[in-house]
């Protein structure tokens, strides 16, 4: 049964992946057609074509390997300086440029002269190239907000999960009390597991973040705790002490290995599924976006640990880069967890939303062959032409992105090597969930 649920989870994630890719390419397709650019192909996947049908100018289809997708637009690159669309050179770098330029015109038909991508104004090209990643961002935001506002998210609450018996400095990394340890203020006050703290020193609290801040800000102070127990409210008296605790990161998490001295009560909050309001959901989305950008920037620094996890005896870190295979495996594990079905569905939706957010951020890198590279080329062309107009110079014409193709091949080569490394790590030492 577990194996069947694992397969089901992988299939569900694969479907979500295909929908995300198709949605991305739909953004490119719809805006390209809106601006009169001819699009001969709209394909989901790579490799041999499994199914296709032509409607109007465009062939729509699905290919065998669901690891990406593309649309083919006519005239992605302008002709060479001599006006020719094809030329040959003995230079390998020059050959790459000419091959790219030739491919951009290989399906040129009579009447296409006015339907070429490079002839569109830079702002239109920016919209066409941005539309794909933007569709992923829309999907990610819709899923994240939908799940958080209707189902909720696993979060720490003001309910008491466990009461500490004694006071232990966080850096000691122990949970067993020793002779001489003082009793925890929460235990001395009579706080019990299952209590829900509804007010701190007379001020209502309804989330763990606020309660934690109140406790930490009042070392050495006598306070009242209003708790709900067995359907009734009780008021407890507690004396907060100053103790060494883990430093928080400002987003509800802790900074590993960093400690501060602050007010201490001595209990572990219970976790539960809590529905989020629109404002809280937007704040969480902002935090996810920020964390995503930071993770993307930190990607090169994670390669040594990833290599060690793939080829050495290193542990696979929980925030390690993960590819499609690893994400599919996590999707399979979601359906094997001993949790309610609605929790499984919510986790799967979060996984698909996270994949879409990653697609948006990754594709916005200003590097060819990514969408961000084409956007950067169009913006640079706009700057050049505007500068020429301001200084009354001749129009420099379209920026020849094809000249950057050698760099694009190098970037693509790096991406391929990184993808293979992640794939090996996902197979031999995968990220697991619990």
């Amino acid at each position: 049964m577990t194996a069947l649920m694992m397969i089901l989870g992988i299939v569900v994630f694969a479907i979500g992946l295909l929908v995300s890719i198709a949605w991305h390419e739909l953004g490119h397709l719809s805006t390209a057609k809106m601006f009169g650019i001819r699009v001969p192909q709209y394909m989901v996947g790579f490799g041999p074509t499994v199914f296709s049908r032509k409607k109007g100018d465009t062939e729509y289809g699905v290919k065998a390997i669901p690891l990406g997708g593309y649309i083919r637009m006519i005239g992605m690159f302008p002709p060479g300086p001599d006006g020719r669309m094809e030329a040959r050179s003995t230079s390998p770098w020059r050959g790459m440029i000419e091959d790219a330029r030739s491919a951009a015109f290989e399906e040129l038909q009579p009447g296409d002269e006015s339907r070429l991508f490079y002839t569109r104004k830079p702002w239109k090209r920016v919209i066409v190239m941005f539309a794909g990643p933007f569709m992923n961002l829309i999907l990610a935001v819709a899923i994240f907000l939908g799940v958080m506002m209707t189902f909720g998210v696993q979060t720490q609450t003001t309910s008491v999960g466990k009461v500490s018996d004694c006071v232990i400095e966080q850096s000691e990394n122990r949970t067993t009390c020793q002779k001489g340890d003082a009793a925890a203020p929460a235990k001395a006050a009579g706080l019990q597991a299952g209590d829900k703290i509804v007010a701190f020193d007379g001020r209502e609290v309804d989330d763990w973040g606020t309660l934690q801040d109140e406790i930490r800000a009042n070392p050495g102070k006598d306070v009242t705790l209003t708790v709900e127990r067995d359907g009734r409210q009780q008021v407890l008296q507690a004396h907060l002490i100053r103790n060494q605790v883990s430093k928080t990161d400002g987003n509800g998490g802790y900074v590993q290995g960093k400690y501060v001295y602050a007010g201490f009560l001595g209990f572990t909050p219970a976790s539960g599924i809590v529905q989020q309001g629109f404002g809280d959901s937007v704040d969480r989305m902002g935090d996810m976006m920020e964390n995503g950008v930071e993770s993307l920037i930190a990607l090169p620094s994670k390669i040594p640990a990833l290599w060690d996890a793939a080829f050495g005896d290193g542990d696979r870190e929980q925030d390690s880069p993960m590819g499609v295979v690893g994400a599919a495996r996590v999707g399979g594990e979601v359906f094997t967890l001993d949790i309610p079905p609605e929790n499984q569905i919510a986790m799967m939706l979060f996984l698909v939303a996270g994949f879409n957010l990653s697609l948006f951020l990754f594709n916005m890198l200003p590097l060819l062959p990514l969408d961000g590279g084409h956007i950067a080329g169009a913006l640079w062309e706009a700057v050049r032409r505007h500068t020429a107009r301001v200084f009354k110079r001749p129009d420099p014409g379209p920026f020849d992105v094809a000249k950057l193709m050698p760099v694009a091949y190098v970037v693509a080569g790096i991406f391929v090597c990184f993808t293979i490394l992640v794939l090996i790590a996902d197979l031999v030492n995968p990220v697991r969930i619990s």
Side-chain angles (χ1 to χ4, degrees):
M1 185 66 178
T2 300
L4 180 62
M5 294 304 293
M6 181 82 172
I7 293 172
L8 178 61
I10 292 174
V11 170
V12 171
F13 176 79
I15 294 173
L17 174 65
L18 286 172
V19 170
S20 301
I21 293 170
W23 184 246
H24 174 104
E25 299 303 334
L26 181 62
H28 292 312
L29 177 74
S30 58
T31 49
K33 285 183 173 290
M34 180 174 68
F35 294 132
I37 301 166
R38 190 164 78 83
V39 184
Q41 278 191 318
Y42 168 94
M43 290 289 170
V44 178
F46 297 118
T49 301
V50 176
F51 165 82
S52 71
R53 176 174 295 176
K54 189 166 185 179
K55 184 176 180 181
D57 292 332
T58 308
E59 177 190 9
Y60 301 85
V62 177
K63 291 182 174 285
I65 306 174
L67 297 180
Y70 65 91
I71 68 167
R72 188 186 301 279
M73 290 184 285
I74 295 296
M76 286 290 290
F77 307 117
D82 57 359
R84 296 175 61 190
M85 299 170 187
E86 292 189 40
R88 293 312 314 159
S89 173
T90 57
S91 166
W93 295 109
R94 192 67 207 165
M96 292 180 186
I97 297 172
E98 292 162 358
D99 287 342
R101 201 187 315 282
S102 176
F105 292 92
E106 64 182 5
E107 298 182 61
L108 193 66
Q109 297 177 358
D112 282 346
E113 293 78 9
S114 62
R115 305 181 66 187
L116 304 175
F117 176 78
Y118 84 89
T119 62
R120 295 303 179 262
K121 291 183 179 180
W123 67 268
K124 291 184 178 181
R125 277 179 276 151
V126 168
I127 290 176
V128 172
M129 300 313 298
F130 180 69
F134 185 61
M135 295 290 271
N136 291 123
L137 179 62
I138 291 174
L139 188 57
V141 170
I143 294 175
F144 277 133
L145 292 184
V147 173
M148 287 189 284
M149 294 177 65
T150 58
F151 176 79
V153 293
Q154 186 83 10
T155 187
Q156 292 176 311
T157 67
T158 60
S159 295
V160 179
K162 181 182 178 181
V163 177
S164 302
D165 292 322
C166 58
V167 179
I168 303 174
E169 290 197 348
Q170 192 72 41
S171 62
E172 293 186 28
N173 293 321
R174 62 182 173 91
T175 56
T176 304
C177 295
Q178 297 178 353
K179 187 176 180 179
D181 289 339
K187 190 173 185 66
L191 199 64
Q192 299 178 9
D195 288 348
K196 181 179 180 181
I197 300 175
V198 296
F200 177 89
D201 213 22
R203 297 183 295 274
E204 291 187 5
V205 290
D206 56 8
D207 66 271
W208 165 243
T210 301
L211 178 59
Q212 182 185 52
D213 290 343
E214 290 279 9
I215 294 171
R216 293 193 170 201
N218 290 282
K221 185 177 179 181
D222 293 319
V223 299
T224 60
L225 302 173
T226 306
V227 302
E228 286 184 357
R229 181 185 298 169
D230 299 327
R232 294 182 298 174
Q233 287 193 358
Q234 298 184 28
V235 179
L236 306 178
Q237 304 290 329
H239 176 74
L240 303 182
I241 66 167
R242 185 174 181 268
N243 188 33
Q244 186 193 65
V245 294
S246 293
K247 183 179 179 180
T248 60
D249 61 6
N251 297 318
Y254 298 98
V255 180
Q256 188 174 2
K258 300 291 184 180
Y259 309 99
V260 295
Y261 282 92
F264 179 76
L265 183 56
F267 77 95
T268 302
S271 295
I273 303 295
V274 179
Q275 276 189 350
Q276 307 294 301
F278 179 75
D280 290 336
S281 298
V282 171
D283 288 341
R284 283 180 175 267
M285 268 297 307
D287 292 339
M288 290 177 187
M289 185 75 74
E290 183 180 346
N291 292 337
V293 172
E294 291 174 354
S295 297
L296 196 60
I297 295 172
L299 204 57
S301 67
K302 296 181 181 296
I303 292 178
L306 189 63
W307 180 275
D308 197 27
F311 300 105
D313 55 359
D315 294 328
R316 186 78 182 271
E317 298 175 356
Q318 287 300 304
D319 62 346
S320 173
M322 186 169 54
V324 173
V325 172
R329 183 168 186 153
V330 169
E333 289 185 358
V334 166
F335 276 30
T336 65
L337 295 177
D338 186 20
I339 56 177
E342 58 269 24
N343 290 37
Q344 294 176 337
I345 294 172
M347 288 183 69
M348 182 63 75
L349 288 172
F350 257 79
L351 186 62
V352 173
F355 175 78
N356 277 271
L357 182 59
S358 298
L359 270 181
F360 168 75
L361 294 174
F362 185 70
N363 271 288
M364 290 310 296
L365 290 175
L367 299 170
L368 287 174
L370 301 175
D371 295 329
H374 290 282
I375 292 172
L379 292 176
W380 176 239
E381 178 184 322
V383 170
R384 289 200 317 164
R385 288 186 152 178
H386 179 71
T387 302
R389 284 196 299 270
V390 170
F391 291 97
K392 301 186 184 305
R393 295 173 181 170
D395 185 352
F399 174 64
D400 192 359
V401 182
K403 292 180 179 179
L404 299 178
M405 287 312 295
V407 178
Y409 283 119
V410 173
V411 172
I414 294 173
F415 286 162
V416 168
C417 292
F418 180 74
T419 300
I420 292 173
L421 175 60
V422 172
L423 173 62
I424 294 172
D426 285 342
L427 291 173
V428 304
N429 194 356
V431 174
R432 299 185 183 277
I433 59 175
S434 60

